[in-house]
Amino acid sequence: MDKRTIFDIHRLRDLGMKERKIARHLSISRQTVRKYLEHPDITKTKSYSKPSKLEPFYDFIKQLLEQWPDANAEVIRQRIADKGYCGGRTILRDYLQAIRGKRKQPKAFIRFETQPGEQFQFDWGHFGSLIYGTTHRKLYCMTVLECHSRMLYLEFSHSQNQQAVMRTILNAFKFFGGTPVELVHDNLKTAVIERVGDIIRFNEDYLHFLLPFHIRPYACGLGDASAKGKIEKGGIHYVRYNFWPCRNFSDLNDVNNQASRWRDQVANARLHGTTNEIPLERFRPDALHPLPDVLPDTRDMADAKVLTDCRFKFDGNSYSAPHWLVDKRLSIKADNRTVWASYKDKIFVEHPRSWERKAVIENPNHIKDLLLTRKKARFSRQQQILFSMGEPMKKFYDGLAKAGKSLSHATGRFLELRDHYGTSAVISAIETAIKYQAYGVDYVENILHQSMCPRTPYPQVILQNPSLNQLQLQEPDLLIYDAITLKKRNEHDDQN
């Protein structure tokens, strides 16, 4: 009580007023009048307030607000609860309001409710970008809301193109387990091509996508956000100020994994402020139309040619393919996680999708198969050279195969023996080995060593092109030259 009021109490009493009249005149209680008439010198004792439960978290809250200035009280409460805060929301809201000051005055709107399964609303929002190496990829979020229960689905994407829109909506239908009667959205280009007043020309691909679900699309009027007010406030706005702040993400999969946990543990498990019910418990899946047996293919699609380096390009990156697909055109399909490539309607390539730019994604088996094929081709050419030496060489190879000996090892050794001893000597030694059924390169080499001396070895000429050093020339068939000589001799005799 201030000293002026105490003085007035005593002044009015001196004028002859009773306690009731003094209390009515000064708008205070009779007990207060009586107390200060009996004890006019009473002064207010100094009170000591209890420390706030929020006080130990002031510094942490300031750190969060420095990084996320627009984070609301609920998001801050979730973060400090992890650090041990057990207080209420009111003191936190009062503290944030004292720091920030008053927010702008909200606008009035008309609320309307829908029946279970009657309406879904969806909307897009931009959430900055994610960094992959030196590449920045824009990040978008689509939210889909079942309007009766306020059940929420959200999915992040690096694109807002036609396939991304249809793919995300389809994933939402799968999450809810069915489809609504009406799908409400704004005038995005992937859904509405042109609009004049209430006359709307919808995107044909969008209508074709909705056809098997028997859904009626509804595009809001221009500037009429209240027509989809549930998704405006309970979708992108809710995600932006409840899920997004105070989090770190590594890639698109990480964002969607965290979003799924938040959706199940917070968004759909909270007590909704409007319905006063938990969305998961209010949701009526039996009111939705069932999904058709065959669902649309909503993957990103493209065509690409396999280049000579056994790679094809897709979305700014190079992906490996089997060597036998070189110079062939592949049909590429991709979702947010995987890239598939098919040839003649059969899938031959599957890679994890990369969100970098100018990256090379290789399957080690593709390179391994190419190297193995080249090695086989090299041995095949060398064996053809040996087989051109005559029928004994083919017969000896058959014997090697039956004896279980390594043909590739024998090929290399025979080429060395041919260069060292000459073709005729090697064939003679092979014929001897066949006679005694001694199938092995060591036997042939021993016969050559015992029967004759090797030719004078000359140093090999090393060419600058490594591939030319692998060339092996076939042994010329001298019978061909004999036939030419005999033919010319006969022609000369006929002329004489």
Side-chain angles (χ1 to χ4, degrees):
M1 182 70 68
D2 60 90
K3 294 179 180 180
R4 182 181 297 277
T5 304
I6 296 174
F7 175 81
D8 288 338
I9 291 172
H10 286 270
R11 180 178 61 81
L12 294 175
R13 181 58 181 267
D14 293 339
L15 293 175
M17 288 187 182
K18 294 184 178 181
E19 293 179 359
R20 182 188 296 274
K21 193 171 182 179
I22 295 173
R24 187 183 303 114
H25 183 78
L26 297 178
S27 299
I28 58 178
S29 67
R30 281 182 292 169
Q31 290 82 359
T32 302
V33 173
R34 187 180 303 113
K35 181 177 70 171
Y36 283 101
L37 285 174
E38 296 174 356
H39 306 284
D41 295 330
I42 292 179
T43 57
K44 185 177 181 180
T45 58
K46 187 176 180 181
S47 61
Y48 294 91
S49 60
K50 294 181 180 180
S52 171
K53 291 182 179 180
L54 196 62
E55 189 173 343
F57 305 95
Y58 284 166
D59 293 338
F60 182 60
I61 292 173
K62 289 179 180 179
Q63 293 176 10
L64 293 177
L65 292 178
E66 287 177 1
Q67 188 175 3
W68 305 96
D70 296 327
N72 61 23
E74 182 60 28
V75 174
I76 299 296
R77 190 193 67 80
Q78 292 174 17
R79 300 299 174 268
I80 61 178
D82 296 337
K83 304 226 177 247
Y85 175 69
C86 58
R89 294 177 174 84
T90 303
I91 59 172
L92 178 58
R93 288 196 181 99
D94 293 342
Y95 176 70
L96 293 177
Q97 186 174 359
I99 294 176
R100 293 169 167 166
K102 286 189 175 182
R103 298 289 183 98
K104 62 182 181 179
Q105 185 69 24
K107 295 180 180 180
F109 62 92
I110 300 174
R111 188 184 301 280
F112 67 93
E113 293 297 334
T114 56
Q115 295 300 314
E118 179 182 351
Q119 187 182 96
F120 281 8
Q121 296 180 5
F122 77 83
D123 197 12
W124 279 105
H126 181 224
F127 285 77
S129 61
L130 291 180
I131 301 176
Y132 299 90
T134 59
T135 303
H136 290 251
R137 291 270 190 171
K138 290 183 178 181
L139 186 65
Y140 307 95
C141 178
M142 176 184 279
T143 54
V144 184
L145 194 75
E146 198 281 316
C147 295
H148 173 76
S149 64
R150 298 335 192 252
M151 187 90 155
L152 180 68
Y153 174 80
L154 73 157
E155 182 175 332
F156 286 84
S157 171
H158 284 310
S159 176
Q160 286 182 301
N161 63 17
Q162 190 74 51
Q163 297 302 119
V165 170
M166 297 188 298
R167 181 167 58 248
T168 309
I169 293 175
L170 179 60
N171 290 340
F173 291 164
K174 293 177 181 178
F175 171 76
F176 290 113
T179 60
V181 176
E182 186 177 57
L183 190 60
V184 179
H185 49 79
D186 55 19
N187 295 272
L188 65 165
K189 289 296 183 182
T190 49
V192 177
I193 295 178
E194 187 178 9
R195 179 171 190 148
V196 179
D198 293 334
I199 302 175
I200 303 172
R201 186 160 69 95
F202 285 100
N203 186 305
E204 293 182 359
D205 292 335
Y206 177 62
L207 294 179
H208 183 71
F209 164 72
L210 294 180
L211 183 62
F213 303 110
H214 304 287
I215 296 175
R216 180 177 67 251
Y218 178 84
C220 301
L222 297 174
D224 185 16
S226 62
K228 56 181 181 69
K230 294 181 180 65
I231 196 68
E232 287 283 340
K233 192 70 175 178
I236 293 300
H237 182 275
Y238 182 42
V239 172
R240 193 180 301 280
Y241 292 103
N242 193 290
F243 164 72
W244 186 255
C246 311
R247 292 178 183 268
N248 296 308
F249 310 101
S250 58
D251 55 26
L252 184 62
N253 291 337
D254 184 31
V255 178
N256 280 320
N257 289 337
Q258 292 193 44
S260 297
R261 290 194 296 270
W262 173 83
R263 176 198 68 203
D264 298 336
Q265 298 173 6
V266 178
N268 293 331
R270 77 194 192 281
L271 187 67
H272 197 277
T274 301
T275 64
N276 203 32
E277 295 184 54
I278 296 174
L280 187 60
E281 296 178 356
R282 184 179 170 88
F283 178 56
R284 290 268 309 279
D286 58 304
L288 299 175
H289 294 159
L291 293 170
D293 295 333
V294 180
L295 298 176
D297 189 350
T298 58
R299 292 174 292 181
D300 297 329
M301 299 182 186
D303 290 333
K305 183 179 180 180
V306 181
L307 305 178
T308 53
D309 59 356
C310 300
R311 296 170 184 169
F312 63 89
K313 294 187 180 295
F314 174 73
D315 195 22
N317 295 313
S318 297
Y319 294 85
S320 67
H323 63 91
W324 57 270
L325 288 174
V326 167
D327 204 38
K328 293 179 173 61
R329 295 202 70 83
L330 305 182
S331 297
I332 313 300
K333 294 185 178 182
D335 59 15
N336 289 339
R337 295 175 179 269
T338 309
V339 176
W340 296 270
S342 61
Y343 178 66
K344 293 184 177 180
D345 298 327
K346 186 175 181 180
I347 297 176
F348 292 101
V349 180
E350 182 175 339
H351 286 286
R353 185 166 187 173
S354 172
W355 294 109
E356 293 187 49
R357 299 280 189 187
K358 299 182 179 179
V360 177
I361 300 89
E362 290 186 337
N363 184 336
N365 291 330
H366 294 162
I367 306 302
K368 182 179 178 181
D369 291 344
L370 177 60
L371 296 176
L372 183 61
T373 301
R374 287 181 175 177
K375 184 176 181 180
K376 287 181 178 179
R378 178 161 54 86
F379 280 120
S380 178
R381 288 194 299 271
Q382 292 174 346
Q383 288 172 358
Q384 290 176 5
I385 293 172
L386 291 178
F387 291 164
S388 69
M389 295 169 60
E391 194 63 29
M393 181 63 76
K394 295 180 182 179
K395 187 175 181 181
F396 193 80
Y397 259 81
D398 291 338
L400 286 175
K402 293 178 181 179
K405 301 296 182 64
S406 173
L407 300 183
S408 59
H409 174 72
T411 299
R413 292 283 303 279
F414 274 132
L415 288 174
E416 292 177 359
L417 293 175
R418 186 199 66 168
D419 294 339
H420 201 55
Y421 291 96
T423 301
S424 300
V426 172
I427 292 298
S428 177
I430 286 175
E431 290 174 340
T432 304
I434 292 174
K435 180 179 179 181
Y436 293 99
Q437 296 185 353
Y439 293 104
V441 182
D442 294 335
Y443 298 127
V444 175
E445 185 176 9
N446 187 44
I447 294 171
L448 288 169
H449 181 72
Q450 294 179 6
S451 62
M452 61 183 305
C453 296
R455 297 189 304 183
T456 303
Y458 295 97
Q460 183 179 1
V461 178
I462 305 300
L463 303 177
Q464 292 183 351
N465 189 342
S467 61
L468 297 178
N469 294 321
Q470 302 294 329
L471 293 177
Q472 296 284 345
L473 300 179
Q474 294 187 7
E475 190 73 19
D477 190 354
L478 298 182
L479 295 177
I480 297 176
Y481 297 97
D482 293 341
I484 295 173
T485 303
L486 290 174
K487 182 178 179 181
K488 289 185 176 181
R489 182 180 300 172
N490 292 334
E491 291 175 352
H492 179 72
D493 294 341
D494 291 340
Q495 290 175 358
N496 294 333

